[in-house]
Amino acid sequence: VEVGHGLVARGALAQADLAPAIFDLVHLSHEIELAEAAEGRGLPPGSPQATAPEVARTDGGLVVTVRSGTPTAHVVDRFFVRRSAVDGGLPVAAARPDRPDVVPTPVRALGSLTVTAPLQLEAFATVSGDANPIHRSDVLARFVGLPGRIVHGMWTSAAATRAVLETVADGDGERLREWQIDFVAPVLPGQDVTFTVTRTGMRAGAHVVAVEAATSDGVVAMGSGVVAGPRTMYVFPGQGIQSQGMGMD
C-alpha cells in the first residue's frame, strides 16, 4: 500500500507541473486510514488513484496535498515546494485538524525500538518510485543545502509503524487502523533511529499512540496512530466476583 500510493502521489505532482521542482520539494507528512474510517470521502475505487492535487500557499512556497484511495485505504500526502514568489490568490495552507473523539488518558510509555537506517538507498528508490536525487547523490544533495544523501521519509514512516506494531499490536498489522507522521528533520544513511511509543488516549476501545523518532542529532519525525485492541472474550465463572470496570484495563 505504501509503495503504490507513493507512486500515485508522485504521478499527481507531475500532472500538476511540479515535477521540475524536484530539488525544491520536501515530503512534509503522510497519513493513512483504513476504508471504514474514511467512508464518504469520494475517492476513486480500484487500484491506487489520486484526486487532483490541492495547492495552498505558505511563507516561502507551496503546500501540495495529494489524496489517493483504494477500496481498503485512504491516503493523504503533503509536500512543500520552495518558491521565491507565490500566487496570492491561492488559499493559505491550514493546519491538520486533531483526531476526533479521542479521550485523553495519562501518558504511558509502551516501549521503544532502535533501527539502523540503510546505507544504500537505491533499492528503496527503485521499489518506491521516489528517484529524487537527494536520496541518491551526495553531490546533488549538498547542492540544495543538505549534509548529503538523506533517507526516504517513507522508510522512516515504515520503521515507525513497525515500532508501533511490535510494542502495541503484537506484530498484527491489521490492528493499525489509522496512521499519520510529520517529517521534521532528515535521517542520514547509517544513522541509528530510536522510535519511542507512548499511549496518549483511547477512542472507542482503541489505543491512540504517539511515536517520536530521534537520532543523535535530535527529533526527526513525530507520528501518531490508532491501534485496535485484540479480539477478546471475557468469561466470568459466576456471581460474586465481578467489579466495576472489570476487564477494561
Side-chain angles (χ1 to χ4, degrees):
V1 172
E2 299 279 19
V3 170
H5 285 281
L7 291 169
V8 168
R10 285 161 183 81
L13 289 173
Q15 292 178 10
D17 294 327
L18 292 170
I22 190 167
F23 286 114
D24 298 320
L25 185 147
V26 178
H27 201 168
L28 287 179
S29 65
H30 171 74
E31 59 184 283
I32 183 168
E33 291 177 285
L34 295 188
E36 59 266 29
E39 291 180 355
R41 298 185 188 271
L43 294 165
S47 299
Q49 300 178 53
T51 58
E54 303 163 19
V55 182
R57 60 185 170 89
T58 188
D59 292 341
L62 307 173
V63 174
V64 183
T65 302
V66 179
R67 304 178 188 274
S68 55
T70 72
T72 59
H74 165 66
V75 179
V76 179
D77 284 282
R78 296 170 69 242
F79 302 87
F80 176 71
V81 182
R82 289 182 292 186
R83 284 284 189 269
S84 57
V86 297
D87 182 357
L90 291 171
V92 176
R96 183 170 53 203
D98 292 334
R99 187 172 275 120
D101 304 321
V102 174
V103 178
T105 63
V107 175
R108 176 184 173 189
L110 300 177
S112 64
L113 175 71
T114 298
V115 182
T116 301
L119 289 170
Q120 299 299 325
L121 307 177
E122 290 287 346
F124 195 95
T126 299
V127 172
S128 67
D130 184 352
N132 192 323
I134 64 174
H135 303 304
R136 304 163 63 204
S137 169
D138 285 316
V139 173
L140 291 175
R142 293 190 182 106
F143 176 75
V144 296
L146 294 167
R149 292 176 303 133
I150 63 172
V151 174
H152 296 78
M154 294 307 294
W155 178 90
T156 306
S157 177
T161 57
R162 174 188 166 191
V164 170
L165 294 177
E166 291 190 5
T167 57
V168 187
D170 297 321
D172 183 359
E174 293 186 356
R175 289 173 54 189
L176 184 60
R177 314 308 292 174
E178 298 178 24
W179 172 250
Q180 60 188 41
I181 188 168
D182 296 312
F183 307 112
V184 300
V187 176
L188 302 181
Q191 278 192 311
D192 288 336
V193 187
T194 298
F195 300 90
T196 303
V197 184
T198 57
R199 187 188 70 183
T200 60
M202 299 289 292
R203 190 180 75 182
H207 292 281
V208 178
V209 299
V211 186
E212 179 185 273
T215 68
S216 58
D217 296 325
V219 175
V220 295
M222 299 291 293
S224 67
V226 177
V227 183
R231 293 184 179 274
T232 306
M233 179 175 67
Y234 296 105
V235 179
F236 302 107
Q239 295 291 333
I241 67 163
Q242 68 272 21
S243 62
Q244 185 174 0
M246 184 176 181
M248 296 297 106
D249 293 337

